[in-house]
Amino acid sequence: MAAVAENAFTAEKEQVAALMTKFGTVTDSAGADAVATELVDLVKSVGIAALTVGGGSEALCALLNDRKSPGPCEAALKGLTALCKGEPALSEAVAIGTLSAQLPCLADRADSVKEATLALCKIEMKMCSPTAVKAILPALFDGLLDSNWQVKEGTCKCLGWLADTQQGSVGACLVDIIPKVSECLGDTKKQVASAARKACGKACLVIDNPDILPIVPDVIKTIGDVGKTEATMDKLLATTFVTQIDQPTLAIMVPILSRSLADRRALMKRKGALVIDNMCKLVAEPMDMAPFGPVLEPKLTRNADEIASEEIREFTAKALATLRLAMGDAADTFIPEPAMTVQGMVDVMTEVVGDKAATAAPLILHSATMVHFKLASDKRIEDGVCDMAVKPYLEALMGAEEGAAASVSFNEKCDEIISAAAKEQGYVMQDDDLCHIDFSLAYGGKVLLQNTRMHLKKGRRYGLIGGNGVGKTTLMRAIDNNQLEEFPNDLLRTIFVESHSSQEEDEEEMTVMDFILKNDIIREEKTVEQIKEALFRMGFTEDRINQTVVSLSGGWLMKLALSRAMLYEPQIMMLDEPTNHMDVKKVAELVNYLNGLQEVTCLIVSHDTKFLDNVCTDILHYETRKLVNYHGNLSAFVAQKPEAKSYFELASSQGLVWNFPDPGFLEGIKTTTKAIAKMQNIVFAYPGTTTNLEGETVPNPIILNDVTTQCCLASRVACVGPNGAGKSTLVKCLVGDHEPQSGEVWKHPHLRMAYVSQHAFAHVENHLEVSPVDYIQWRYSGGVDKEQEQKDTLQLTPEEEKRITVKDPELAKAGINQIGGIMGRRKRHNEFEYECYHVGQPKDSAYFIPLNELENMVEMGWHGAEMAKMIQAMDEKLAQQNSIVAQRQLTTGGIQEHLDAFGLEAEFGTYGKIVGLSGGQKVKVVMGSAMWNCPHLLVLDEPTNYLDRESLGAMAAAIKIYKGGILLITHNSEFSQTVCPETWLCPGNGKLEISGADWMIAAEKARAAAEKKAKLLEGFDADKEDVLDAFGNKVVKAEPAGGEKKKLSRKEKLALKKKKKNGGGDDEGDW
């Protein structure tokens, strides 16, 4: 800014000097009011020059500092007050600049001066803009350190007024405010402590965390009163943290957490560690935690090393690990200097203001400082910043029209400078680069990636690698939805292929061709012949192209999605679990297709390690909220990072353990190889299907033809075969989702069966907005599994419904009563009887009818399939109610403990919504909910989809020790060979080929031999463990009176038998 000549603005200086002389002679309040009015008139007359180059600001500040007599000081205070009211925009910079001189006036002996100071401060706090808050705080912080308690009290009131007006801006500075105010909270002067509590309470109104809000007043009191620390810590321990923790919340909590860690009592250290562990799990933004890490980390580290109690050391070490995870590398993150300095902005504003800048130095500096604060925090000048921090001041200085134009010009010039600086520091794009961006990604309050870089090149295939829940699918979906900051969606054509994407209702009834043509770009750019050619390459036939989408199996749906992606001709193709539901042959074809793409970049998420190893040219690995690029395929990645070898091993390297619930006893089943579910000679065909596995046109081809098989408690069966061969159809007939056209499906009356379908997410798609715990509570409330009740084989047709609700006139004439419903069951004389009531009769008239009589009613034509459905429904209901399932409590704690056994932590099981879970986590929810009823037989259709290697290893280990039967469908040969010695092959000709079932016979023989040996050894005390009572004493079994019981001879046994027959007893002779 150009210097002002000494002889310039002589008239203004003389006017100000004359007025300031009057200020110095004021002796009362009336005189102070009069000169204050003159000051405002002078500023309106000559402009801001009266306060700047005219020397008005320095003169007022001198009067405030020289308080020998109250009159001049009061006049100066009232003069500033009048300016703030009359010319707020012009005077704001001057008023804030003199704030440090105003606050000491609060300790003046004259009441009129103190009152005038409070009035001025209140107006200043109320008039400032949101961007001015940071400019005001330094002067207020100095006031809090003043030696006079009146100044401290008044400064606390100023903070309260500022918080009332600019709550959001004050809340953003809470991390700086709380440490300063905390010293006043414990002040010995009650007035100071009271004002500090009120100010702190108003500042903390920005905290909207519902978990913390109820105890914020207690926390504020505790900061100032050490004696309340333990009681407040107890309240925090009793708080369930479920809401995201942000920086304002941390700012108010850290002081007492730090105090508890420094307490001499080990119990207080333990409490502090527990609260820190709970809170840090919900810190979404590492930068929020960064200011507090240096406060808490050293104390946690010292406690973890020095505390005598091993238990407390473990708690502290756990809290330390959680704290470090919450901070990530934020503490070490280099934050570059803003692209412009304050002086740089002052220079730009001076340029756009022109000649008037010479008299407006404080105003320009004040405005530029506010803009610079926003640039430093936001990395750019956001829309609306100049409207708050520049425009009002320039309009007051230059007039409305010129000021508005100058504000726009200032914004544009600063944007040019910032953009040019970014280009100089940025990466120079190469010809084969598609994107080179730095970004952060969060979902549902949880930060997934923090200040990470993604660099994608043309024609390369990137495998996204990381555990379940790190955000692999979320990243691709964010790119697809144009939600990823800085990603060039406007320049690149991208497509996202999900293996579990659900079709809309109108799409389900579309043919394959119509589904492809629904995409506008494909319809405009491709001909029908080109579309058919692409579909033929994926194995579609002419007839299958004319099928409806809903009739396709999971494998064919994935092929359809891939075909549409190929036709779209994207520059970036994102594939989420593309090999799900695909057989080995089609996976090989997909590998060849992807490897042949030279101009398309692929982002691939898959848990099929062989597939990734065959297609990937690069690996993007999730490492502590960063994406790290490794060149080469998966094998090369493991060579560079040996600790990642678990991606090739079917085992849990991190100690993850799954535990399936014990199915318990099944009545009448004495051996594990005895059948508990059978299918005999079943035949099934989908109505309306016209294409068989080979693509030949066949009217209603039979999917299953004369298939016979069975399952037992020892079953470990893998059902394999090509896509569309009938694997899923087979298991659906067994579990009851499909009803075969002929043949018999039998299940033990007390059998509990769990089924996870091929499209596992379909189980929870209507419950996405609730937590997994809430879903399980809904599903099993009332003691029955609501999904079991919805099976096709239990649903009554209109005709069947009519037979149990409306009397048949002909049967009524013959005196035959139709069964209207079944209410219960009992076993009598080794036969089941069902409690039934008749059509048109009240339910309390029900009585028990033997099962054979009910079956006879069907044979006589009095009833149809509805009778079998009602019997089956009652059997399945009682199988759950009369078992260990009835003993399980549907409480939050009980359900979460059950989900823990499937590797789903409380953060996701109790407090998270299903919609926010990753694919792998949703599979865990579906499996956990299906197994809540402690099934005897677990049927899994493609269970390995979406699960990472850790989870697959844990599931394999759980299956090996599970006491129930397992039937699974999978294309993952590595997994099936590990856990399933028996194989059911569906070759696609309607038949079923079974192999490997002999192992069960050998296993049962070994079990029986072990049981027999155990019985033989029962009489040997050496093999028995001592029995101890509750006090640890050995319990000695008392011998029968008279010593060991004598073994009777044959003659004695006959005599005893005769004696009993004649009415005698063993002890008859004793009478």
Side-chain angles (χ1 to χ4, degrees):
M1 188 182 299
V4 179
E6 291 184 8
N7 59 351
F9 304 103
T10 304
E12 288 84 353
K13 291 178 181 179
E14 291 176 352
Q15 288 177 295
V16 171
L19 182 59
M20 288 301 111
T21 302
K22 292 183 179 181
F23 269 78
T25 60
V26 171
T27 58
D28 55 22
S29 296
D33 292 334
V35 294
T37 303
E38 288 187 45
L39 178 62
V40 175
D41 292 339
L42 178 61
V43 171
K44 288 183 177 180
S45 173
V46 302
I48 196 173
L51 298 175
T52 56
V53 294
S57 175
E58 291 85 350
L60 290 172
C61 194
L63 291 172
L64 293 174
N65 289 326
D66 183 12
R67 299 195 303 277
K68 293 179 181 178
S69 59
C73 183
E74 182 183 354
L77 291 168
K78 288 193 172 182
L80 288 169
T81 303
L83 284 173
C84 290
K85 291 180 178 178
E87 294 289 341
L90 284 179
S91 61
E92 182 178 307
V94 172
I96 292 177
T98 60
L99 186 58
S100 295
Q102 298 168 28
L103 293 175
C105 297
L106 292 166
D108 197 272
R109 289 173 293 180
D111 291 338
S112 60
V113 173
K114 289 189 283 189
E115 291 172 1
T117 306
L118 284 175
L120 172 59
C121 288
K122 188 171 184 178
I123 290 175
E124 289 170 337
M125 298 304 112
K126 298 287 185 182
M127 68 180 275
C128 77
S129 67
T131 51
V133 170
K134 283 192 174 183
I136 292 175
L137 286 178
L140 295 181
F141 291 160
D142 290 339
L144 292 174
L145 298 175
D146 197 279
S147 57
N148 292 301
W149 68 266
Q150 297 94 335
V151 177
K152 293 181 181 179
E153 179 190 14
T155 306
C156 289
K157 289 181 179 179
C158 289
L159 275 173
W161 293 326
L162 189 62
D164 286 336
T165 308
Q166 304 297 342
Q167 188 181 81
S169 298
V170 170
C173 301
L174 209 57
V175 64
D176 300 314
I177 293 172
I178 293 297
K180 303 293 185 181
V181 180
S182 61
E183 297 181 16
C184 294
L185 287 169
D187 199 278
T188 54
K189 278 289 183 180
K190 293 183 179 180
Q191 297 92 326
V192 175
S194 176
R197 280 196 299 271
K198 291 178 181 178
C200 205
K202 290 179 178 179
C204 289
L205 288 176
V206 71
I207 297 175
D208 58 359
N209 189 305
D211 309 329
I212 297 297
L213 274 178
I215 57 176
V216 165
D218 295 314
V219 173
I220 293 173
K221 291 178 183 177
T222 303
I223 293 174
D225 186 352
V226 177
K228 297 181 183 294
T229 304
E230 185 169 5
T232 303
M233 289 300 299
D234 289 338
K235 290 182 180 180
L236 285 171
L237 283 173
T239 301
T240 302
F241 295 103
V242 297
T243 309
Q244 174 185 331
I245 303 293
D246 55 11
Q247 194 173 78
T249 305
L250 289 168
I252 193 66
M253 301 303 301
V254 165
I256 64 169
L257 293 175
S258 176
R259 183 188 297 166
S260 68
L261 293 177
D263 198 291
R264 287 187 293 178
R265 294 168 293 175
L267 181 60
M268 285 296 294
K269 298 178 189 289
R270 179 183 185 274
K271 291 178 179 180
L274 281 174
V275 174
I276 291 171
D277 183 53
N278 292 335
M279 288 184 62
C280 288
K281 290 177 180 177
L282 295 174
V283 174
E285 179 62 56
M287 293 304 293
D288 285 350
M289 196 71 223
F292 309 106
V295 178
L296 299 176
E297 187 175 16
K299 295 179 180 179
L300 283 171
T301 303
R302 184 174 62 251
N303 291 347
D305 293 336
E306 298 178 359
I307 294 177
S309 170
E310 182 179 355
E311 182 215 14
I312 298 178
R313 286 202 309 273
E314 290 177 356
F315 276 119
T316 306
K318 182 181 178 184
L320 180 61
T322 308
L323 172 69
R324 287 172 174 168
L325 180 62
M327 288 193 299
D329 57 359
D332 301 324
T333 300
F334 172 73
I335 301 176
E337 291 294 327
M340 294 184 70
T341 62
V342 174
Q343 185 58 47
M345 289 187 170
V346 168
D347 294 342
V348 173
M349 194 175 296
T350 300
E351 179 185 346
V352 299
V353 170
D355 295 339
K356 293 185 178 180
T359 61
L363 182 149
I364 290 175
L365 177 61
H366 177 60
S367 180
T369 301
M370 291 189 290
V371 177
H372 190 265
F373 280 139
K374 297 298 291 182
L375 174 63
S377 60
D378 300 338
K379 310 304 179 190
R380 58 183 177 180
I381 302 176
E382 299 280 0
D383 294 339
V385 169
C386 287
D387 290 340
M388 290 189 296
V390 179
K391 185 179 177 183
Y393 306 97
L394 296 190
E395 286 180 344
L397 178 66
M398 307 171 66
E401 187 173 343
E402 287 186 34
S407 175
V408 172
S409 178
F410 170 79
N411 198 353
E412 291 174 348
K413 288 179 179 293
C414 287
D415 281 343
E416 290 176 5
I417 295 172
I418 294 169
S419 299
K423 289 181 180 178
E424 289 178 6
Q425 298 173 0
Y427 172 81
V428 179
M429 295 287 285
Q430 306 298 317
D431 292 339
D432 61 344
D433 286 336
L434 292 182
C435 79
H436 186 280
I437 60 172
D438 294 322
F439 67 98
S440 296
L441 179 67
Y443 182 81
K446 179 180 180 181
V447 174
L448 303 172
L449 292 168
Q450 173 68 29
N451 294 327
T452 191
R453 174 166 294 169
M454 183 165 64
H455 184 191
L456 302 180
K457 287 183 170 289
K458 185 188 299 183
R460 302 191 73 82
R461 296 175 294 281
Y462 298 88
L464 282 174
I465 302 296
N468 288 144
V470 298
K472 303 184 294 294
T473 301
T474 303
L475 172 61
M476 295 196 296
R477 189 176 288 117
I479 295 173
D480 185 55
N481 294 334
N482 197 14
Q483 295 173 333
L484 193 63
E485 186 179 358
E486 305 298 339
F487 191 87
N489 288 88
D490 54 336
L491 302 176
L492 299 176
R493 180 182 287 189
T494 65
I495 192 166
F496 181 34
V497 179
E498 292 184 87
S499 65
H500 61 280
S501 59
S502 56
Q503 283 74 36
E504 299 175 3
E505 291 185 9
D506 60 333
E507 292 179 341
E508 292 181 348
E509 299 304 323
M510 287 182 176
T511 63
V512 168
M513 178 60 72
D514 292 337
F515 178 77
I516 295 287
L517 290 172
K518 186 181 179 184
N519 185 285
D520 295 334
I521 293 178
I522 296 177
R523 187 173 60 251
E524 292 173 3
E525 297 181 356
K526 301 295 179 182
T527 64
V528 173
E529 288 71 23
Q530 290 173 316
I531 294 174
K532 285 186 175 181
E533 183 180 349
L535 290 170
F536 290 155
R537 285 200 302 268
M538 286 301 292
F540 283 84
T541 63
E542 189 73 42
D543 287 324
R544 200 178 290 279
I545 290 174
N546 294 320
Q547 282 184 237
T548 58
V549 173
V550 72
S551 67
L552 298 178
S553 67
W556 284 107
L557 284 173
M558 174 52 72
K559 295 171 192 173
L560 175 60
L562 288 170
S563 299
R564 184 165 67 166
M566 297 171 190
L567 289 163
Y568 190 72
E569 293 187 352
Q571 291 165 283
I572 297 180
M573 183 188 297
M574 297 172 288
L575 306 175
D576 187 12
E577 303 287 359
T579 62
N580 282 0
H581 317 301
M582 297 183 72
D583 57 41
V584 177
K585 180 181 177 182
K586 291 303 177 186
V587 170
E589 293 175 359
L590 178 61
V591 168
N592 293 333
Y593 170 75
L594 294 177
N595 288 340
L597 297 175
Q598 301 299 319
E599 300 295 320
V600 180
T601 297
C602 296
L603 281 176
I604 305 169
V605 172
S606 177
H607 291 111
D608 187 336
T609 53
K610 292 182 180 178
F611 171 73
L612 288 177
D613 209 37
N614 288 331
V615 300
C616 289
T617 60
D618 299 85
I619 298 297
L620 291 177
H621 190 230
Y622 279 71
E623 298 178 11
T624 318
R625 299 191 179 102
K626 301 289 183 184
L627 282 178
V628 182
N629 194 344
Y630 294 86
H631 294 298
N633 62 2
L634 198 59
S635 296
F637 164 63
V638 172
Q640 298 175 67
K641 198 173 181 65
E643 59 268 30
K645 64 180 181 180
S646 60
Y647 287 114
F648 282 101
E649 298 174 350
L650 196 61
S652 175
S653 63
Q654 299 177 6
L656 181 63
V657 177
W658 284 21
N659 291 304
F660 292 170
D662 190 339
F665 174 71
L666 191 56
E667 185 179 351
I669 303 300
K670 300 296 178 67
T671 66
T672 58
T673 55
K674 185 174 181 179
I676 57 176
K678 298 179 183 178
M679 291 189 293
Q680 293 181 324
N681 309 116
I682 65 166
V683 175
F684 183 88
Y686 286 103
T689 305
T690 58
T691 308
N692 66 3
L693 189 66
E694 287 75 28
E696 300 170 341
T697 303
V698 180
N700 298 335
I702 294 175
I703 305 298
L704 301 173
N705 185 18
D706 195 29
V707 170
T708 298
T709 188
Q710 67 180 36
C711 292
C712 61
L713 291 174
S715 290
R716 295 292 184 272
V717 181
C719 187
V720 299
N723 293 135
K727 304 182 298 295
S728 296
T729 303
L730 175 68
V731 299
K732 286 183 178 181
C733 288
L734 179 64
V735 301
D737 274 9
H738 287 344
E739 189 172 1
Q741 279 76 22
S742 64
E744 179 184 357
V745 178
W746 173 87
K747 285 176 277 190
H748 190 285
H750 294 161
L751 176 67
R752 294 187 303 277
M753 186 184 301
Y755 171 54
V756 177
S757 68
Q758 183 182 55
H759 305 288
F761 301 160
H763 293 274
V764 295
E765 62 183 5
N766 295 325
H767 306 273
L768 297 178
E769 295 302 322
V770 302
S771 70
V773 167
D774 292 335
Y775 165 66
I776 293 177
Q777 285 178 330
W778 166 85
R779 178 169 171 175
Y780 289 95
S781 60
V784 295
D785 184 355
K786 291 182 174 61
E787 286 206 4
Q788 292 283 351
E789 292 180 327
Q790 297 171 1
K791 291 191 299 187
D792 290 348
T793 52
L794 296 181
Q795 305 306 309
L796 300 178
T797 65
E799 183 181 350
E800 293 167 348
E801 188 75 35
K802 182 178 180 181
R803 278 199 291 266
I804 64 172
T805 55
V806 180
K807 285 188 176 182
D808 188 317
E810 296 183 4
L811 294 177
K813 288 180 182 179
I816 299 171
N817 291 320
Q818 298 161 250
I819 301 298
I822 297 177
M823 299 176 59
R825 188 191 70 188
R826 71 182 182 187
K827 195 169 187 179
R828 189 181 184 195
H829 303 308
N830 210 29
E831 182 183 9
F832 283 125
E833 295 181 349
Y834 291 84
E835 188 177 13
C836 308
Y837 61 90
H838 295 297
V839 176
Q841 298 294 323
K843 293 184 178 180
D844 56 8
S845 65
Y847 63 98
F848 286 95
I849 302 176
L851 175 61
N852 62 345
E853 292 186 19
L854 295 177
E855 292 172 344
N856 289 337
M857 293 181 185
V858 177
E859 293 177 4
M860 296 294 291
W862 303 345
H863 277 285
E866 73 278 0
M867 180 62 73
K869 293 179 180 180
M870 290 190 294
I871 292 173
Q872 182 183 351
M874 179 54 61
D875 288 343
E876 293 186 359
K877 179 178 180 180
L878 294 178
Q880 297 181 63
Q881 291 181 346
N882 302 332
S883 65
I884 58 176
V885 181
Q887 302 171 15
R888 309 195 73 178
Q889 298 297 316
L890 279 170
T891 61
T892 299
I895 297 174
Q896 182 55 56
E897 184 179 356
H898 174 75
L899 292 175
D900 287 339
F902 292 85
L904 193 71
E905 299 175 348
E907 178 184 356
F908 308 105
T910 301
Y911 305 119
K913 291 184 178 180
I914 295 176
V915 67
L917 302 183
S918 68
Q921 290 166 337
K922 286 179 181 176
V923 170
K924 295 174 185 178
V925 172
V926 172
M927 288 193 63
S929 60
M931 297 195 72
W932 175 260
N933 67 349
C934 304
H936 301 101
L937 181 61
L938 177 60
V939 181
L940 305 172
D941 195 346
E942 299 283 6
T944 60
N945 293 348
Y946 309 105
L947 291 178
D948 56 21
R949 303 291 293 184
E950 290 287 324
S951 298
L952 280 179
M955 182 167 69
I959 287 176
K960 289 178 181 178
I961 62 174
Y962 179 49
K963 295 183 180 180
I966 297 287
L967 168 59
L968 61 88
I969 297 174
T970 182
H971 293 298
N972 189 328
S973 58
E974 178 190 10
F975 181 78
S976 62
Q977 291 171 6
T978 301
V979 299
C980 297
E982 182 177 354
T983 302
W984 294 357
L985 172 63
C986 292
N989 57 6
K991 300 298 182 181
L992 182 66
E993 301 174 7
I994 300 176
S995 61
D998 297 341
W999 78 275
M1000 288 190 299
I1001 299 174
E1004 178 58 28
K1005 285 182 178 179
R1007 186 199 66 79
E1011 185 177 332
K1012 184 177 180 181
K1013 181 179 179 180
K1015 287 184 178 180
L1016 289 173
L1017 295 175
E1018 281 182 359
F1020 294 92
D1021 292 336
D1023 292 336
K1024 290 186 178 180
E1025 294 183 2
D1026 292 339
V1027 179
L1028 305 178
D1029 62 14
F1031 298 99
N1033 301 315
K1034 182 177 178 180
V1035 178
V1036 181
K1037 187 175 179 181
E1039 294 292 337
E1044 187 177 352
K1045 193 170 181 180
K1046 179 184 176 183
K1047 188 174 181 181
L1048 300 178
S1049 65
R1050 183 172 180 274
K1051 184 176 181 181
E1052 288 173 326
K1053 288 180 181 179
L1054 291 173
L1056 182 60
K1057 185 176 180 181
K1058 182 178 180 182
K1059 188 175 183 181
K1060 287 183 177 181
K1061 186 176 181 181
N1062 294 332
D1066 292 342
D1067 52 357
E1068 193 175 274
D1070 294 339
W1071 288 89

